[in-house]
Amino acid sequence: MHKSKPYDYTKKAMQISNLNHGGNVYANAKQLNLLPSEIIDASASLVPFPPPQILIDSLNMEIKNLGFRYYPERNLSDLKEIIGKFHAINPNNILPGNGASELITWAGYEASKFGISCIPSPGFVDYERSLNCWNGNFIHCELPKTWNNIFPQSFPIHPKGDVIWITNPHNPTGQLWEKNSLEAIIKKYKLVICDEAFLSITPNGEKESLIPLTKKYDNLLVLRSLTKIFNIPGLRLGYIIGSSKILKQWTIKRDPWPLNSFAIKAGIDLLSNQKFYQEWTDQIHSWINIERKRVCEKLSKIEKLKVHNSSTNFFLIESKESLSRNIKYLENKGILLRECTSFRFLDDKWARISLQTRKNNILLCKEIQNSFRK
Ligand SMILES: Cc1ncc(COP(=O)(O)O)c(C=O)c1O
């Protein structure tokens, strides 16, 4: 009888150690001798639903057709066309990538040509990585640390510089920025990169998208990711929308086959069915609205803790004392929070939490409460 081999975590764990990102499920599972699926990962902000049948069928079809035996189509024209139809954008203004992360690397290449990049901070750590790849100059521009619970909000800072990196909704704070306030920003900078990785899952988020403005402004690049919405971080699929001239230049320089055939097929199938997409996102928005209220109310009862307002599926907590001990306690229980010391202007008194299924949220809140009693 075939006996399955124990899962080999070692290599995977080594690959992800020392990275300033959440989602270090492999390392934690190895440490606790658990399967990755047994970890409650509240450090990476993904949608915790089972995968949609369209995705499973799509990947199965790719195996059945032995699609992996051929080099993927190089100019990605079918995928660009579907994304174009989806957003009402000319396919020449679209470039799919190996996750939004690959396109962040190219956005950093573009930004480094213009001068100083402003990174509103605390902010997503990958922008800094990408600028460092190209010896780009950047400054961290501090965002206010308090905000109200009415979203969208006006973008609060207008720092001096040549390029600005906007994240909408903002990571790690979860603030949703208002489109009009962002349009004013576009006029002030030589280049604006707007990362909308979480916008489609954010209730009432889509109204604030800058995608329609790419038709009006050549200095605007808008990034999207399918990672969060479909919980496919392992597939790697994102795209960027902007000037066809810029995107053409990147295409000449990038790897010949950045997207694998599974990601291409899945992207086409997931975005070509509008009815499915609408139902899927409606379900996500109602999960976020219900669970965020429940979890935030529960955690707000902890005396030492301040729970910050968020428009989306993750939020920040701030404690009067270091949270390192609490995070360690939770890690030993197989629950991961995103510690915040790698975010500029935050420290060990902060942590970012992403929403889980109802059952796991109950467990998460209970263990967070316990961690303060120890
Ligand atoms: C704001 C933001 N943009 C982009 C990404 C990367 O997305 P992808 O998985 O598509 O590379 C992340 C991942 O955490 C993120 O938080």
Side-chain angles (χ1 to χ4, degrees):
M1 198 176 73
H2 175 73
K3 211 163 162 234
S4 63
K5 273 206 293 189
Y7 195 88
D8 179 10
Y9 303 93
T10 321
K11 214 168 133 205
K12 250 331 201 239
M14 277 168 60
Q15 285 164 356
I16 49 93
S17 67
N18 297 325
L19 283 183
N20 291 331
H21 284 279
N24 294 344
V25 171
Y26 288 106
N28 187 248
K30 178 176 184 273
Q31 206 181 353
L32 298 177
N33 212 10
L34 295 173
L35 288 169
S37 57
E38 291 171 299
I39 303 295
I40 298 181
D41 183 13
S43 70
S45 307
L46 300 158
V47 169
F49 300 169
Q53 195 55 42
I54 289 185
L55 175 65
I56 304 292
D57 291 346
S58 179
L59 299 177
N60 280 337
M61 188 61 85
E62 194 57 17
I63 293 176
K64 194 165 160 243
N65 292 340
L66 305 181
F68 48 84
R69 293 194 63 186
Y70 311 98
Y71 278 104
E73 194 220 350
R74 272 190 75 176
N75 48 25
L76 303 164
S77 48
D78 290 348
L79 180 57
K80 283 185 196 172
E81 202 180 308
I82 292 294
I83 298 169
K85 267 200 194 132
F86 186 81
H87 289 293
I89 291 286
N90 185 323
N92 293 331
N93 296 99
I94 297 166
L95 188 67
N98 191 251
S101 305
E102 190 224 352
L103 300 165
I104 288 173
T105 306
W106 286 107
Y109 162 75
E110 204 59 37
S112 65
K113 294 180 194 170
F114 284 97
I116 295 180
S117 269
C118 305
I119 306 183
S121 303
F124 184 43
V125 286
D126 221 33
Y127 309 147
E128 200 174 315
R129 172 198 62 80
S130 116
L131 287 160
N132 281 332
C133 287
W134 309 101
N135 291 323
N137 293 320
F138 59 86
I139 46 170
H140 292 103
C141 308
E142 190 167 7
L143 287 165
K145 288 220 189 48
T146 50
W147 55 93
N148 64 29
N149 63 352
I150 299 163
F151 299 107
Q153 306 185 341
S154 189
F155 194 73
I157 55 170
H158 295 83
K160 265 207 176 122
D162 303 293
V163 179
I164 191 159
W165 296 68
I166 309 273
T167 318
N168 202 19
H170 194 72
N171 180 5
T173 65
Q175 286 162 285
L176 178 68
W177 307 124
E178 195 226 347
K179 185 179 172 180
N180 288 342
S181 71
L182 296 180
E183 184 163 7
I185 297 263
I186 300 170
K187 293 175 185 162
K188 288 195 172 166
Y189 293 86
K190 292 180 191 155
L191 181 69
V192 174
I193 299 148
C194 184
D195 178 348
E196 298 185 350
F198 289 96
L199 199 66
S200 54
I201 63 169
T202 302
N204 300 317
E206 211 60 79
K207 289 204 291 277
E208 311 309 327
S209 175
L210 296 192
I211 289 177
L213 295 185
T214 57
K215 291 181 188 166
K216 194 165 156 194
Y217 299 101
D218 257 2
N219 62 331
L220 171 64
L221 294 168
V222 181
L223 257 166
R224 287 278 178 140
S225 168
L226 295 194
T227 293
K228 324 289 174 188
I229 179 168
F230 296 115
N231 198 351
I232 48 171
L235 209 50
R236 315 304 305 132
L237 186 55
Y239 50 93
I240 196 158
I241 299 180
S243 147
S244 58
K245 200 168 141 220
I246 294 178
L247 303 186
K248 216 172 184 170
Q249 283 167 4
W250 299 1
T251 308
I252 294 165
K253 290 185 193 296
R254 77 200 298 217
D255 293 355
W257 298 281
L259 275 83
N260 67 73
S261 58
F262 289 93
I264 296 172
K265 176 86 171 77
I268 291 171
D269 292 342
L270 287 167
L271 295 181
S272 53
N273 186 332
Q274 291 274 0
K275 186 170 173 280
F276 151 75
Y277 186 89
Q278 192 57 50
E279 284 168 6
W280 182 257
T281 44
D282 286 350
Q283 200 188 338
I284 293 171
H285 297 164
S286 88
W287 158 71
I288 291 178
N289 283 332
I290 294 168
E291 289 304 311
R292 192 183 52 220
K293 187 166 181 287
R294 286 165 58 95
V295 172
C296 292
E297 271 173 16
K298 267 249 144 58
L299 296 183
S300 297
K301 290 189 182 134
I302 301 173
E303 207 193 305
K304 289 178 189 157
L305 214 57
K306 177 171 168 135
V307 179
H308 286 269
N309 301 307
S310 166
S311 66
T312 193
N313 67 328
F314 55 83
F315 59 91
L316 283 171
I317 55 170
E318 183 187 359
S319 171
K320 291 195 176 119
E321 292 155 16
S322 167
L323 286 169
S324 310
R325 215 174 39 87
N326 308 71
I327 289 174
K328 195 83 218 135
Y329 169 88
L330 291 159
E331 239 174 64
N332 288 331
K333 300 268 171 192
I335 298 173
L336 306 181
L337 304 193
R338 173 70 162 91
E339 64 90 36
C340 287
T341 54
S342 62
F343 285 109
R344 189 61 65 106
F345 305 123
L346 297 185
D347 57 23
D348 61 357
K349 296 191 182 87
W350 295 75
R352 193 191 64 199
I353 300 179
S354 68
L355 297 173
Q356 307 297 309
T357 57
R358 164 78 49 94
K359 183 170 150 253
N360 284 347
N361 282 334
I362 292 170
L363 205 64
L364 177 77
C365 290
K366 194 176 126 220
E367 290 298 358
I368 293 177
Q369 280 162 340
N370 287 343
S371 77
F372 278 92
R373 287 191 197 115
K374 299 287 147 186

